[in-house]
Amino acid sequence: MKKKKEISLDNYFRFKNSDTIVVGCSGGPDSMALMDMLLKIREKYSLKIICAHVNHNVRKDSVIEEEYVRSYAKSNHLIFEGMIIEKYGDDNFENEARNIRYNFFESLIRKYHAEYLMTAHHGDDLIETILMRIVRGSNLSGYSGFKEIVDMDFYKLVRPLIHFTKEELIEYNKNNHVKYFIDASNFNTLYTRNRYRKDILPFLKKEDKNVHQKFLKFNHTLQEVNKFVSKERDKALKNILDHGKMDISKYLELDSFLQREILYYLMSEFYQDDLILIHDKHIDLVYNIITSRKSNISANLPNEVEAVKSYNYFFLRREMEELTKYEIELDDKVVLPNGHSIRTIKESEDTSNFTCRLSSSDISLPLIVRTRKMGDKIALKGCTGSRKIKDIFIDSKVDIYDRDMWPIVEDSLGRVIWIPGLKKSKFDKKKNEFYDIILKYR
């Protein structure tokens, strides 16, 4: 007779007395096994367990499963928290559902001041994730799959079943008389993960029944290597990042491996939980933009994100549906949409393009601060004729995405008086000339 395999979670995770744990429980074999294991040690550690269930609302059976998990929690004196996903957007279904789930879990962690969120990801899940990342393309962190314990901002995400296979968990449920439900969508080969589960995992396990342990070792090895690489990456980032924009010339001096790690890092910081949408082809696209001979170039990435090269800088940003335009009458002070301000001051020793001196007898008040218009020109101080503002932006290497928000100061006759921070017009006065208005841009 086959000996029953006893499993105790505290052999794999160090619990503390009175821990509060939010547990993601779908009602499937994995999460029900996790719930049962936690119940077996609840009294030993005086654990407070919150059973969190998400009804994805895409199958008829989901209502039955929700009711069962609710009744299971009640009969075992657990706190039950459930939510139903009423509708989905046009985004990737699996990714969107995951984001909704984890947002819900985090709300419960805050509500109950929980120390941990536990999910039922197991060894087979780790194998599938690693193989999918290898095929899709990733970086060191991605190729390692996922971590057993992740330090989040205010809690720890723990996957205590990472040491076990799906088969072992089903055997556990059988031995401990744990009821569970099977999600029929897990067999639908339209989903990438299911194809790996159906076609590749059986082959690997036939080669070695303990192959999940080999993948777990691979996972740990890559995580250690990634720690080292991350330290080198962070050193480089301090040198090449300036207010979220990357200095391209400094970036290109780095080792090619470190360059790709930096791009993945920038993507991960920008996309957060949506990083699953980014593949190797996107990293290649971004690298080609950075190394392009063009001064200004951009490309679209998933979820309405743009990768932008503007002269010697690269950055990521959300696509703007339309340009923001403004036209504001200049009084004592005006705060601009670009975060800067223009104000009237009494005196200044500054003679740079950030300060403008005017005589009210030469211009027509009131002054207006606005965004640029097609065909804008300025009669520059010390020059004959006028110059296109577009050309001034180009010569000054103003980011193409900053030009549309850059302030232009004109008088009530429509004459451009000043391009703050860049150029002054013929109306600007020297310090030894008469003026009764001083404007400061900061």
Side-chain angles (χ1 to χ4, degrees):
M1 181 180 291
K2 186 177 179 180
K3 186 178 180 181
K4 292 182 181 180
K5 183 175 181 179
E6 296 297 331
I7 297 175
S8 182
L9 278 189
D10 53 0
N11 289 331
Y12 302 93
F13 181 76
R14 183 176 296 177
F15 292 88
K16 303 186 301 294
N17 284 331
S18 302
D19 276 340
T20 300
I21 305 170
V22 174
V23 184
C25 183
S26 66
D30 317 328
S31 61
M32 292 307 299
L34 176 59
M35 290 299 302
D36 190 76
M37 292 176 194
L38 285 169
L39 287 176
K40 281 181 166 53
I41 59 172
R42 175 170 57 175
E43 289 187 12
K44 180 179 179 181
Y45 297 101
S46 300
L47 301 178
K48 181 179 181 180
I49 301 172
I50 293 88
C51 178
H53 177 82
V54 177
N55 181 344
H56 291 85
N57 201 23
V58 292
R59 297 177 294 110
K60 292 180 181 179
D61 292 342
S62 61
V63 176
I64 299 172
E65 293 161 9
E66 179 185 357
E67 285 305 313
Y68 175 74
V69 175
R70 185 190 302 273
S71 64
Y72 176 88
K74 183 179 180 180
S75 64
N76 286 284
H77 308 290
L78 299 171
I79 298 172
F80 176 83
E81 292 278 1
M83 77 161 293
I84 301 175
I85 302 178
E86 298 292 348
K87 62 179 181 179
Y88 295 88
D90 297 327
D91 200 0
N92 177 285
F93 165 76
E94 291 177 273
N95 187 57
E96 187 176 3
R98 181 187 184 280
N99 289 341
I100 293 172
R101 269 198 317 276
Y102 278 86
N103 287 337
F104 172 60
F105 294 155
E106 288 200 354
S107 71
L108 298 180
I109 289 164
R110 293 181 187 276
K111 179 179 178 179
Y112 293 101
H113 305 288
E115 290 86 10
Y116 304 106
L117 166 64
M118 287 194 175
T119 62
H121 294 90
H122 48 74
D124 287 7
D125 291 326
L126 180 63
I127 295 174
E128 293 161 9
T129 301
I130 290 173
L131 293 176
M132 288 167 63
R133 297 272 177 86
I134 290 173
V135 172
R136 188 184 69 194
S138 188
N139 64 343
L140 279 176
S141 178
Y143 288 137
S144 69
F146 50 76
K147 292 182 179 180
E148 182 176 357
I149 302 175
V150 183
D151 284 313
M152 308 299 281
D153 290 338
F154 52 96
Y155 67 97
K156 291 185 189 299
L157 169 59
V158 183
R159 302 175 175 105
L161 303 185
I162 196 172
H163 301 273
F164 309 105
T165 65
K166 181 87 166 185
E167 183 181 0
E168 287 174 327
L169 295 176
I170 290 176
E171 183 69 18
Y172 173 91
N173 289 335
K174 179 181 176 181
N175 293 337
N176 291 275
H177 310 290
V178 178
K179 180 179 176 180
Y180 58 85
F181 291 82
I182 296 294
D183 183 347
S185 66
N186 287 338
F187 303 101
N188 187 342
T189 53
L190 287 175
Y191 297 111
T192 305
R193 182 177 291 275
N194 290 347
R195 295 195 295 273
Y196 281 80
R197 186 173 297 158
K198 176 178 178 292
D199 299 326
I200 300 178
L201 252 66
F203 167 76
L204 292 176
K205 291 186 177 186
K206 188 176 179 181
E207 291 293 308
D208 184 346
K209 66 178 182 179
N210 293 316
V211 69
H212 64 288
Q213 296 293 346
K214 307 294 175 57
F215 273 80
L216 186 57
K217 182 179 179 181
F218 176 79
N219 167 277
H220 291 161
T221 300
L222 258 61
Q223 287 181 29
E224 288 301 312
V225 174
N226 190 54
K227 282 182 184 178
F228 173 79
V229 173
S230 295
K231 290 178 183 177
E232 296 302 310
R233 179 204 65 207
D234 291 344
K235 289 179 188 176
L237 282 169
K238 289 180 181 178
N239 187 44
I240 68 173
L241 277 188
D242 181 15
H243 296 91
K245 295 183 178 181
M246 186 177 77
D247 186 311
I248 293 175
S249 59
K250 293 179 180 178
Y251 168 81
L252 293 177
E253 292 174 357
L254 300 173
D255 179 86
S256 60
F257 178 80
L258 206 53
Q259 288 178 354
R260 291 186 71 84
E261 284 295 310
I262 284 173
L263 294 187
Y264 267 106
Y265 174 80
L266 294 178
M267 292 285 200
S268 67
E269 288 293 293
F270 199 86
Y271 275 89
Q272 300 291 331
D273 287 338
D274 289 337
L275 188 60
I276 193 172
L277 300 175
I278 299 300
H279 299 186
D280 263 1
K281 65 180 182 180
H282 299 118
I283 299 298
D284 292 337
L285 175 64
V286 167
Y287 185 79
N288 289 337
I289 288 173
I290 291 171
T291 56
S292 170
R293 292 184 178 181
K294 295 182 179 180
S295 298
N296 290 290
I297 185 173
S298 65
N300 296 324
L301 296 172
N303 278 13
E304 298 183 335
V305 173
E306 273 188 308
V308 180
K309 175 188 177 182
S310 184
Y311 295 106
N312 191 45
Y313 285 94
F314 168 81
F315 55 93
L316 298 169
R317 69 169 205 160
R318 299 288 174 192
E319 292 179 10
M320 293 190 300
E321 293 184 0
E322 58 183 31
L323 296 173
T324 303
K325 296 186 180 296
Y326 60 85
E327 189 168 306
I328 310 168
E329 185 173 317
L330 181 56
D331 199 353
D332 290 336
K333 181 179 179 179
V334 59
V335 178
L336 303 170
N338 67 356
H340 294 272
S341 65
I342 298 176
R343 61 190 179 97
T344 306
I345 58 176
K346 292 183 178 179
E347 57 183 32
S348 175
E349 295 298 316
D350 182 39
T351 58
S352 74
N353 288 320
F354 287 86
T355 302
C356 183
R357 295 172 175 82
L358 301 168
S359 170
S360 57
S361 61
D362 291 344
I363 58 178
S364 180
L365 299 175
L367 296 177
I368 304 295
V369 187
R370 61 167 174 82
T371 48
R372 65 174 177 162
K373 296 177 181 177
M374 185 75 73
D376 266 342
K377 293 182 179 181
I378 182 173
L380 293 173
K381 185 176 182 177
C383 299
T384 58
S386 58
R387 190 134 188 259
K388 290 182 180 179
I389 289 178
K390 176 184 176 182
D391 292 338
I392 292 172
F393 281 146
I394 293 172
D395 291 346
S396 302
K397 295 188 175 181
V398 174
D399 287 352
I400 192 169
Y401 297 96
D402 290 338
R403 297 174 194 175
D404 295 294
M405 295 293 289
W406 203 280
I408 306 293
V409 179
E410 68 175 11
D411 69 359
S412 61
L413 297 179
R415 297 175 296 186
V416 175
I417 304 297
W418 182 34
I419 310 174
L422 295 182
K423 293 291 182 181
K424 292 184 272 196
S425 74
K426 64 181 183 180
F427 296 101
D428 177 69
K429 300 297 183 180
K430 294 180 180 179
K431 288 177 64 177
N432 60 357
E433 295 178 314
F434 173 79
Y435 54 86
D436 55 1
I437 300 170
I438 307 177
L439 301 177
K440 182 70 176 179
Y441 178 63
R442 60 171 58 183

